[in-house]
Amino acid sequence: MTADSDPPPLHVSSKLEDGFFLGFVLLVSVAFALVIEPFFAAILWGVIVAIVFAPVHKAILATMPRRTNAAALLTLLLILLVVIVPAFVLGAALLQEAAYFYGKVQSGEINFARLFYDVIAALPDWLRPYVRRLGITNFYAAQEMVTRGLTSSFRTLAAQAFQIGQSAFSFFVALGVMLYLAFFLLRDGDWLARRVAAAAPLRAGQRTALIAQFVVVTRATIKGSIVVAIVQGLIGGLVFWALGIEGALLWGVLMGAFSLLPAIGTAIVWVPVSIYLFATGAVWQGVVLVVCGALVIGSVDNVLRPILVGRDTRIPDYVVLISTLGGIQLFGFNGIVIGPVIAALFIATWNIFTRMRGVDAAEGAPD
């Protein structure tokens, strides 16, 4: 047998087979991702729910250690009672109030142009020159300025909410998928985490650190953003209701949504309303709203977030703002969570990387 007819060396054949198999793994993974893409939101929130309620599930499982199915079902029932049902009740009430408010706008009972000119006319003489410099003495010019100032992220968010309302069947299917997935993630979460860790092509220390950081930052994002938003929206809505301001529920939900943006916050809602109250002669209501807005609603974030999240997992406010807006732009409503989680994972990954290189990441960091 000649040299030209000799079979290729074994290590060359093995490398070729390994390369082909790796390509096949990537191809199958991409195909699977495309298959489940329509339920991306349901899968995302199923994972989030399982992570957030994992400590509750472990506490329930401790009381019935051999009944894993029953423990997962009880946790799922608790999720329904604490999260899903209140969300539906709030959504129904919000839709009713929004329809009532929209009817008043359509009938002319609420006229934003007239309200705007009433506020301008009630401004003190010393303040009017500053308002003229800003070019907002004309309602339509002010409307255009505000429209330009708001990013397309909020339009995307509004479109997502509208699509949910228009596709009720798809929404309920996605909700069912989310709860179904959450059940198995709660029941088999530890086993699945070990399988994912074993399959990840990383060192053992890297795998452990990244999985731990993913769980921590996801839970911290939910507790530090969603919970704070709910509390701020609730307090803001109660203050509006106590002052007799119409649409208290609607304003409260808006404050809760804007509280997710640190640089903007709830002030984008209560400051214009307080200005209107002062301008229309409701002085004491305006004073109460300013005091509650600045001292109560505004301080909720500073008080609750460190308690819920802790200093170790908190990311800078400017990173939260940019990542939230970017997340909404890319992923719609889901970006409220995805954006900050990706940002937190980015920071955590680089911290792990620097620690592995023996560099003290905190050295010289600003307070």
Side-chain angles (χ1 to χ4, degrees), residues 4 17 38 72 74-75 84 194 204 235 241 268 272 294:
D4 292 337
E17 291 171 354
L74 284 176
T75 308
I84 306 299
R194 289 193 298 269
I235 295 175
W241 173 78
I268 199 172

Side-chain angles (χ1 to χ4, degrees), residues 149-151 154 258-270 321 325:
L150 293 176
T151 65
F154 299 107
F258 280 113
S259 71
L260 296 170
L261 305 175
I264 300 173
T266 57
I268 199 172
V269 176
W270 62 261
L321 173 64
L325 290 176

Side-chain angles (χ1 to χ4, degrees), residues 61 64 121 136 143 167 186 250 256 269 272 317 319 342 361:
L61 186 61
M64 47 178 71
I136 56 175
Q143 188 180 43
S167 308
L186 287 167
L250 185 61
V269 176
D317 286 345
V319 177
I342 291 176

Side-chain angles (χ1 to χ4, degrees), residues 181-194:
L181 177 63
F183 169 81
F184 289 101
L185 290 176
L186 287 167
R187 191 190 70 176
D188 306 324
D190 292 338
W191 176 79
L192 287 171
R194 289 193 298 269

Side-chain angles (χ1 to χ4, degrees), residues 21 55 71 115 119 146-147 149 175 218-219 225 229-230 245 273 280 302 318-319 328 336 363:
F21 183 71
L115 292 174
V119 171
V146 172
T147 301
L175 179 63
T218 301
R219 193 173 292 154
S225 298
I230 291 172
I245 300 172
V273 174
T280 54
N302 297 328
Y318 58 86
V319 177
I328 292 173
I336 290 176
E363 184 178 352

Side-chain angles (χ1 to χ4, degrees), residues 318-335:
Y318 58 86
V319 177
V320 175
L321 173 64
I322 296 172
S323 61
T324 301
L325 290 176
I328 292 173
Q329 182 69 25
L330 286 174
F331 303 103
F333 177 79
N334 302 311

Side-chain angles (χ1 to χ4, degrees), residues 139-302:
F139 171 72
Y140 298 101
Q143 188 180 43
E144 185 180 352
M145 181 185 296
V146 172
T147 301
R148 286 198 310 267
L150 293 176
T151 65
S152 59
S153 303
F154 299 107
R155 292 194 294 271
T156 303
L157 183 59
Q160 292 281 324
F162 181 76
Q163 288 174 8
I164 290 175
Q166 292 293 306
S167 308
F169 177 75
S170 299
F171 173 75
F172 281 106
V173 170
L175 179 63
V177 171
M178 184 201 79
L179 294 174
Y180 186 72
L181 177 63
F183 169 81
F184 289 101
L185 290 176
L186 287 167
R187 191 190 70 176
D188 306 324
D190 292 338
W191 176 79
L192 287 171
R194 289 193 298 269
R195 290 296 301 270
V196 171
L202 297 169
R203 297 176 183 174
Q206 294 172 335
R207 288 199 303 264
T208 303
L210 284 175
I211 291 175
Q213 284 294 325
F214 175 75
V215 172
V216 168
V217 300
T218 301
R219 193 173 292 154
T221 300
I222 295 298
K223 291 193 299 182
S225 298
I226 305 300
V227 173
V228 170
I230 291 172
V231 173
Q232 286 187 311
L234 178 62
I235 295 175
L238 288 174
V239 171
F240 273 55
W241 173 78
L243 294 176
I245 300 172
E246 288 193 27
L249 178 62
L250 185 61
W251 296 121
V253 171
L254 285 175
M255 280 188 279
F258 280 113
S259 71
L260 296 170
L261 305 175
I264 300 173
T266 57
I268 199 172
V269 176
W270 62 261
V271 167
V273 174
S274 62
I275 292 173
Y276 168 74
L277 292 174
F278 282 120
T280 54
V283 178
W284 74 266
Q285 291 97 329
V287 171
V288 171
L289 184 56
V290 169
V291 171
C292 290
L295 300 182
V296 181
I297 301 174
S299 63
V300 167
D301 182 76
N302 297 328

Side-chain angles (χ1 to χ4, degrees), residues 25-36:
V25 169
L26 293 175
L27 181 63
V28 171
S29 300
V30 171
F32 180 71
L34 292 174
V35 168
I36 65 174

